[in-house]
Amino acid sequence: MKYTLAVLVENRPGVLTHISGLISRRAFNIESIAAGHSEEADTTRITIDVEVDGELELEQVVNQLSKLVDVIKIVNLTPVDHIERELAMIKVKASKVNRSDLVDIVEIFRAKIVDVNRETMVIELTGEETKIDALCEVLVDFGIIEIVRTGKIALSRGPLAAKEM
Amino acid sequence: MELQGAEALIKSLKNEGVEVVFGYPGGAVLTLYDALYKAQFPHVLTKHEQGAVHAADGYARATGKVGVCIATSGPGATNLITGIATAYMDSVPLVAITGQVGVCLIGKDSFQEADICGITTPISKHNYLVKKIEDLPRVIKEAFYIARTGRPGPVVIDIAKDVFAATLDYSYPDSVNLRGYRPTFGGDPASIDLVAEEIKKAQRPLLFVGGGVNISSMATDFRKLVKMTGMPVVSSLMGLGVIDGDAPEHLGMVGMHGTYSANMATVECDLLIGIGVRFDDRVTGSVEDFAPKAKIIHFDIDPAEINKNVRADLKVVGDLMWSLPLLFEKVANLGLDWSGHLEVWNRQLTAWKQEKPMTYQKRDGIIMPQEVIAKVSELAKDAIIVTDVGQHQMWAAQFYQFHGERTFLTSGGLGTMGYGLPAAIGAQVGLPRKPVIVFSGDGGIMMNCQEMATAADNGFPIKIIVMNNQVLGMVSQWQRLFYGERYSHTLIKGRTDFVKLAEAMGVTGMRVTNPEELEATLVAALETEGPVLVDIALPSDEDVLPMVPPGGCLDKMILGEC
Ligand SMILES: Cc1ncc(C[n+]2csc(CCOP(=O)(O)OP(=O)(O)O)c2C)c(N)n1
């Protein structure tokens, strides 16, 4: 089973070392991890997608992560109504011949073209992972040069912040 | 108050109540050592940084205070690693202070640079790299707080060289503000009501005591509970001493080298109450077959221990200082007639004890290792016993009658050979008036034998007993049992004369080969002032028994003659 965790950590040097060190030492199966600033200057928010056998194993992951001194709070967003997004940028071959096909695809996916030159274009897409996967699949035929993805971020719906949950 | 970083560090150590540090100087900590010199701060110079960290660990285990060690950057710091990992596995409160190269040299592969925070992240409770002098007092305050509270553990403070020389307007914080660190104390009292219910229902309850009770100094409360109820007790290696070795309720150590009765009781009990244990694989054997008939209750301060190895039916998360008194109260309220309640179970336990007591086969004209331990147990009842790792460690656990918490110091989790001698030095520093005896093997003693010189130079009167079987005994036992007697690199055939080695370093050396002289030699060693090493000739082919083959079920023991 896949679970999505919101992890609030101190915004201090060494924090990411501590987290990644723990994940590798305990051999946790992390599918994606994305870190960035939060609404508080001294707090970093990390979204972690973890693949575990069930609730018991999830409890282990949460308890072990909670033991890290830098980890302030962990919220399991999986059972909470929440929004998931990922951002991807895809550089794809775009010649005069197929450029308009690409524009059509971009429109269908509600993606954006953020760079164009004579040979390539860069497409930006925000959405759930599956949507990004789907776009990538379609673009394969055109020739993908490179892909960069942020990893999933997640936020609950409703008025509560993770720090209050 | 305007202070230099090094002075601020010493002042902070004093504020934390630190009485002594163990260490070894070098380039990155020169300024700190200069300040130690000026302040005349008590410092024990070991011969190797591994000696310093194990000594700090032994000091902490024996006294319950935080042990402190100091090393220079690079090789000095990496020499601490085994000791930090040892302390981490056994939840020992330790602060390791390492020098780091200057701030502008960090990351340049500078002379004697090593990323100590990177290296120690998976083997420490927490670590810090201090690059700014303003951070130093807060970091020290936090480090000591983290090391000693909750589930204790080692904390590393890596300090850039220039920080020691920089100055600041010093003030020491009164409290810490750590949003992500709120160690558990009290838990849910209702969980203990449920435990009392289970105890009432159980026909065959069993208390399983671990290192957590030693760490939290709750032996007295634990004993009260045992005394009131008469419930039988098995100990993990780290739990030894919590209950007297010869207490009628004590079945002995459980697990791979546990006693017959302790292992059988674990298999047959219908309620197993683990208190401050972590269900290590050396205890459980096959997890699926562990305590198969029992409901399992787990008391621990660390929520991450619950359900980590063994699935618990009930958990009581909290400090044992909170939960044990409450458990006593609620169990007392049950108002049970305990002797009637446990009569059938007790009869069974007594039968197992009598069927296969802890014994061994004597041999003519040869000193048996178990006999050595039993003799020392008789002669030095109130000693602090320290061991290395191997067969002698298991025999010490089986044949020494421990009395009291914090009297048995051994590397349980990591199983670190070379731990014993330096840890004994630390214990002796912490408890100068207590007899401290270390059992080591002829393999293990060589791993940190240089620390005999530390004992001699400082007049630490530790007694070192080398259980000399001419083999890396525990490994050769496995080769005998599971590897077709192919003794690959375990027959030492050593030419080292341990008596001369000891004498060369200033330690009194004695040797005994004849069983008739064993007692007299031990008495002489214990009565001799200053440090003594006794080299005892033992057979090479004795097995530690009973033995549950790794991954086996606890009732499938190799019993041999024992
Ligand atoms: C640092 C370290 N290296 C290797 C081992 C593996 N090991 C465990 S017991 C043992 C043999 C110890 O031999 P000795 O010190 O002579 O003690 P004995 O078992 O004979 O009592 C070895 C090599 C270890 N535990 N620690």
Side-chain angles (χ1 to χ4, degrees):
Chain A
M1 272 235 3
K2 196 157 84 176
Y3 290 88
T4 302
L5 305 176
V7 183
L8 304 177
V9 304
E10 295 287 352
N11 182 11
R12 276 200 200 142
V15 171
L16 289 181
T17 320
H18 290 156
I19 293 190
S20 55
L22 179 91
I23 289 169
S24 75
R25 179 163 71 93
R26 299 277 176 194
F28 293 150
N29 207 345
I30 301 294
E31 302 229 310
S32 110
I33 179 163
H37 294 300
S38 71
E39 70 278 11
E40 283 172 19
D42 52 2
T43 307
T44 295
R45 178 164 172 151
I46 308 178
T47 307
I48 295 181
D49 251 20
V50 58
E51 177 72 39
V52 291
D53 275 346
E55 296 273 340
L56 265 185
E57 202 185 329
L58 178 71
E59 200 181 296
Q60 266 298 304
V61 175
V62 170
N63 283 340
Q64 291 290 355
L65 278 172
S66 305
K67 263 170 79 166
L68 295 177
V69 171
D70 308 312
V71 171
I72 302 161
K73 181 154 196 171
I74 302 176
V75 177
N76 176 9
L77 288 175
T78 322
V80 182
D81 195 10
H82 69 279
I83 308 149
E84 299 183 352
R85 290 292 181 269
E86 185 175 3
L87 169 70
M89 291 194 282
I90 305 154
K91 192 182 290 172
V92 46
K93 285 192 188 138
S95 61
K96 234 169 39 205
V97 192
N98 61 16
R99 204 170 282 145
S100 64
D101 292 347
L102 276 168
V103 171
D104 287 348
I105 291 168
V106 163
E107 210 136 277
I108 293 166
F109 277 88
R110 288 176 225 259
K112 262 199 280 182
I113 295 166
V114 287
D115 181 60
V116 188
N117 59 47
R118 286 178 55 203
E119 291 157 51
T120 65
M121 62 170 68
V122 174
I123 299 170
E124 176 196 311
L125 176 62
T126 306
E128 295 195 1
E129 283 171 289
T130 46
K131 184 174 169 189
I132 293 172
D133 292 343
L135 175 62
C136 292
E137 216 177 297
V138 175
L139 292 179
V140 165
D141 295 340
F142 294 84
I144 292 176
I145 296 166
E146 60 176 338
I147 300 178
V148 58
R149 298 171 68 152
T150 55
K152 183 168 99 182
I153 55 171
L155 198 76
S156 66
R157 293 181 190 274
L160 276 189
K163 65 184 172 214
E164 296 157 341
M165 284 185 187
Chain B
M1 189 190 342
E2 190 83 357
L3 286 185
Q4 228 189 6
E7 294 165 340
L9 173 55
I10 292 171
K11 189 119 184 71
S12 307
L13 294 180
K14 287 184 183 157
N15 285 333
E16 289 298 332
V18 176
E19 290 157 354
V20 58
V21 297
F22 302 86
Y24 207 91
V29 288
L30 264 167
T31 312
L32 175 58
Y33 271 77
D34 191 44
L36 285 169
Y37 180 89
K38 287 186 200 147
Q40 292 289 299
F41 195 88
H43 174 282
V44 175
L45 174 68
T46 54
K47 306 299 169 191
H48 187 300
E49 289 87 353
Q50 190 182 354
V53 62
H54 287 325
D57 170 311
Y59 173 91
R61 290 193 208 218
T63 62
K65 300 176 198 164
V66 180
V68 181
C69 62
I70 302 177
T72 190
S73 68
T78 54
N79 272 346
L80 298 179
I81 301 306
T82 303
I84 295 170
T86 302
Y88 185 56
M89 287 294 267
D90 289 341
S91 308
V92 177
L94 200 76
V95 170
I97 297 165
T98 52
Q100 181 53 276
V101 299
V103 171
C104 57
L105 290 171
I106 292 176
K108 314 267 189 218
D109 301 322
S110 311
F111 178 63
Q112 295 196 324
E113 179 185 4
D115 172 13
I116 290 310
C117 282
I119 296 172
T120 57
T121 288
I123 53 162
S124 61
K125 189 169 172 186
H126 196 51
N127 59 29
Y128 294 91
L129 169 61
V130 183
K131 294 202 273 186
K132 288 195 296 241
I133 177 94
E134 309 82 76
D135 293 338
L136 192 61
R138 171 184 62 82
V139 165
I140 298 168
K141 179 85 193 172
E142 289 179 6
F144 275 87
Y145 179 72
I146 292 168
R148 75 159 78 88
T149 54
R151 176 179 182 172
V155 179
V156 177
I157 313 178
D158 195 26
I159 304 173
K161 181 174 176 162
D162 16 2
V163 170
F164 291 119
T167 53
L168 89 163
D169 185 16
Y170 179 81
S171 73
Y172 200 61
D174 308 317
S175 60
V176 297
N177 176 20
L178 288 162
R179 294 189 291 172
Y181 182 73
R182 303 232 168 72
T184 334
F185 183 77
D188 176 11
S191 63
I192 300 182
D193 289 319
L194 296 177
V195 175
E197 279 303 304
E198 292 299 334
I199 290 177
K200 189 173 167 188
K201 275 192 279 177
Q203 309 280 308
R204 301 184 306 280
L206 185 63
L207 293 164
F208 169 29
V209 62
V213 184
N214 269 316
I215 291 169
S216 57
S217 298
M218 288 304 284
T220 311
D221 287 70
F222 181 79
R223 287 167 180 222
K224 260 173 60 188
L225 178 72
V226 174
K227 193 141 192 119
M228 173 178 69
T229 61
M231 273 195 283
V233 181
V234 297
S235 300
S236 72
L237 180 71
M238 307 311 289
L240 290 169
V242 167
I243 182 159
D244 286 342
D246 46 10
E249 300 87 356
H250 192 214
L251 304 174
M253 184 167 71
V254 63
M256 181 175 278
H257 294 297
T259 65
Y260 179 76
S261 56
N263 285 349
M264 291 307 288
T266 306
V267 173
E268 291 299 326
C269 66
D270 65 354
L271 180 67
L272 184 80
I273 308 169
I275 304 187
V277 295
R278 56 187 183 84
F279 297 101
D280 182 77
D281 53 280
R282 283 294 186 266
V283 161
T284 60
S286 153
V287 172
E288 287 75 43
D289 302 321
F290 179 72
K293 302 177 182 170
K295 268 207 168 162
I296 294 179
I297 298 177
H298 195 175
F299 284 69
D300 209 280
I301 193 165
D302 179 358
E305 279 305 327
I306 315 286
N307 295 327
K308 185 183 78 181
N309 295 339
V310 162
R311 178 93 181 255
D313 298 289
L314 269 181
K315 60 177 178 185
V316 181
V317 177
D319 196 315
L320 294 177
M321 290 203 232
W322 161 77
S323 57
L324 272 181
L326 210 54
L327 179 65
F328 179 85
E329 189 187 309
K330 301 202 185 232
V331 170
N333 287 344
L334 293 175
L336 280 183
D337 154 31
W338 287 100
S339 59
H341 188 66
L342 297 176
E343 198 189 322
V344 182
W345 181 222
N346 273 333
R347 229 179 296 141
Q348 173 66 75
L349 296 171
T350 311
W352 281 324
K353 271 193 192 174
Q354 285 166 352
E355 204 179 314
K356 303 268 176 204
M358 267 323 281
T359 54
Y360 58 95
Q361 288 278 307
K362 299 208 161 139
R363 302 189 207 174
D364 267 353
I366 288 179
I367 305 174
M368 297 306 289
Q370 301 91 333
E371 185 185 352
V372 175
I373 309 279
K375 244 317 148 240
V376 174
S377 184
E378 255 174 64
L379 296 173
K381 283 200 171 51
D382 63 339
I384 304 292
I385 299 297
V386 191
T387 74
D388 244 54
V389 170
Q391 290 186 310
H392 65 276
Q393 176 191 32
M394 291 300 114
W395 283 316
Q398 292 176 332
F399 289 92
Y400 190 91
Q401 301 288 340
F402 293 97
H403 294 278
E405 61 197 12
R406 302 187 180 283
T407 55
F408 183 44
L409 319 184
T410 194
S411 168
L414 201 66
T416 309
M417 281 172 75
Y419 171 80
L421 172 58
I425 288 175
Q428 188 74 81
V429 169
L431 303 171
R433 268 173 289 281
K434 272 261 180 191
V436 176
I437 300 172
V438 48
F439 291 106
S440 191
D442 47 326
I445 191 68
M446 290 297 257
M447 285 215 176
N448 275 316
C449 63
Q450 76 284 350
E451 300 308 331
M452 276 197 279
T454 307
D457 294 351
N458 295 279
F460 300 137
I462 57 170
K463 310 299 176 220
I464 307 158
I465 297 180
V466 178
M467 306 281 279
N468 190 348
N469 53 8
Q470 290 288 304
V471 284
L472 299 177
M474 187 53 96
V475 180
S476 70
Q477 173 170 343
W478 284 53
Q479 290 170 335
R480 181 158 49 251
L481 295 173
F482 310 121
Y483 289 85
E485 298 188 48
R486 291 180 298 281
Y487 295 112
S488 177
H489 299 277
T490 50
L491 310 181
I492 297 177
K493 287 184 253 154
R495 297 192 48 192
T496 308
D497 182 330
F498 289 113
V499 173
K500 280 193 186 152
L501 182 67
E503 298 275 347
M505 294 196 196
V507 170
T508 306
M510 299 180 182
R511 172 171 295 120
V512 52
T513 53
N514 181 345
E516 264 132 54
E517 289 161 14
L518 176 65
E519 178 158 350
T521 312
L522 289 174
V523 170
L526 293 174
E527 283 175 357
T528 301
E529 261 182 54
V532 180
L533 176 145
V534 191
D535 178 19
I536 305 186
L538 303 170
S540 302
D541 57 353
E542 183 69 5
D543 286 328
V544 178
L545 298 172
M547 178 173 194
V548 179
C553 177
L554 289 186
D555 61 357
K556 307 277 181 305
M557 288 167 263
I558 303 171
L559 288 159
E561 304 287 341
C562 81

